[in-house]
Amino acid sequence: MKTKSLFFLLILLSFTAFSQTKTNSDDTAIKKSLTYFVNSIQSRQIGQAVSCIYPKFFTIVSKEQMTQILNMTYNNPFMKIEVQDLKFGTIEKPELITGEYFSITHYFLKLKCNVSSLSDDMRKKMSSALTGKYGADNVKYVANEGAYLINAPMKACAVAKDKKAWKFVILEKEYKKELVKILPKKILDKF
């Protein structure tokens, strides 16, 4: 009897370990792809960053427009934005919907936004916009550097056909109406 119980316990532990490994491999693949995306932005490799975006997103915003937006944001001589750190939060279990896997991924970016070349009026507007978007607790102005330090909580939807090559759509509530065109309702209902 002890042998059967021990054998049953061993099988149960193997199934548990296998299921955790499977989840972790999905998490690892998503983290690797998102890290590549963020590193591409950080190193100003905008073309590489654009290649990490879910292709269906380009039916809403063209690839050329997205490239211009990222260039204006991260290669702007008047307001230098630097990605300083990436931390991962919860990565939801991928769900298979109409032939593609979808996973909502929570992450945090630490950004430094140098506004020293802007006028006082523009800095005030920038401060208002940043605190409105990220919350007053997540935005700090460092006067001697003329820069804002921002802890930006972010969400993205990771999408893949094979659970290996993940592409991303940044999830922001103000763009939800547009995202209805490319993401399943079940995913949109989660954010």
Side-chain angles (χ1 to χ4, degrees):
M1 186 68 182
K2 282 185 181 182
T3 307
K4 285 184 181 181
S5 297
L6 189 58
F7 182 70
F8 177 74
L9 183 62
L10 190 60
I11 289 176
L12 187 64
L13 285 172
S14 330
F15 280 125
T16 305
F18 177 74
S19 66
Q20 287 177 348
T21 302
K22 185 71 176 154
T23 302
N24 289 341
S25 69
D26 292 338
D27 287 5
T28 302
I30 291 170
K31 285 179 180 179
K32 182 179 177 184
S33 294
L34 188 59
T35 300
Y36 179 79
F37 174 63
V38 171
N39 285 344
S40 296
I41 289 173
Q42 190 173 27
S43 63
R44 311 278 192 270
Q45 300 295 317
I46 301 304
Q48 279 180 201
V50 170
S51 74
C52 298
I53 296 172
Y54 182 45
K56 288 183 182 176
F57 182 77
F58 300 125
T59 62
I60 297 172
V61 176
S62 75
K63 197 178 257 192
E64 293 75 24
Q65 283 178 302
M66 193 70 224
T67 303
Q68 285 179 333
I69 290 167
L70 289 173
N71 267 318
M72 285 191 306
T73 304
Y74 294 101
N75 288 327
N76 186 332
F78 300 108
M79 186 179 65
K80 293 184 170 91
I81 297 177
E82 178 186 332
V83 178
Q84 294 188 321
D85 194 21
L86 164 67
K87 288 196 167 105
F88 290 96
T90 307
I91 297 175
E92 295 183 8
K93 185 178 188 260
E95 291 184 58
L96 182 61
I97 304 171
T98 61
E100 292 181 301
Y101 291 94
F102 295 86
S103 172
I104 294 187
T105 303
H106 301 260
Y107 62 102
F108 305 88
L109 291 177
K110 185 174 183 182
L111 304 170
K112 183 177 183 180
C113 181
N114 186 323
V115 294
S116 60
S117 64
L118 298 179
S119 68
D120 286 344
D121 187 46
M122 287 302 291
R123 276 189 222 160
K124 286 177 186 170
K125 287 179 182 176
M126 179 61 68
S127 175
S128 178
L130 291 172
T131 54
K133 182 169 180 73
Y134 300 111
D137 293 343
N138 290 319
V139 178
K140 179 183 171 191
Y141 184 68
V142 183
N144 64 336
E145 293 183 30
Y148 289 98
L149 293 179
I150 305 153
N151 291 313
M154 307 287 288
K155 270 189 218 176
C157 181
V159 185
K161 288 188 185 286
D162 59 2
K163 289 186 165 186
K164 292 178 184 149
W166 293 92
K167 302 291 182 178
F168 298 94
V169 176
I170 305 303
L171 301 176
E172 296 192 16
K173 289 191 191 293
E174 57 264 27
Y175 300 115
K176 194 170 186 175
K177 289 178 187 174
E178 294 295 318
L179 296 177
V180 167
K181 299 173 186 173
I182 62 167
L183 294 176
K185 182 180 181 335
K186 187 174 184 181
I187 298 301
L188 289 170
D189 288 346
K190 291 183 178 186
F191 90 96

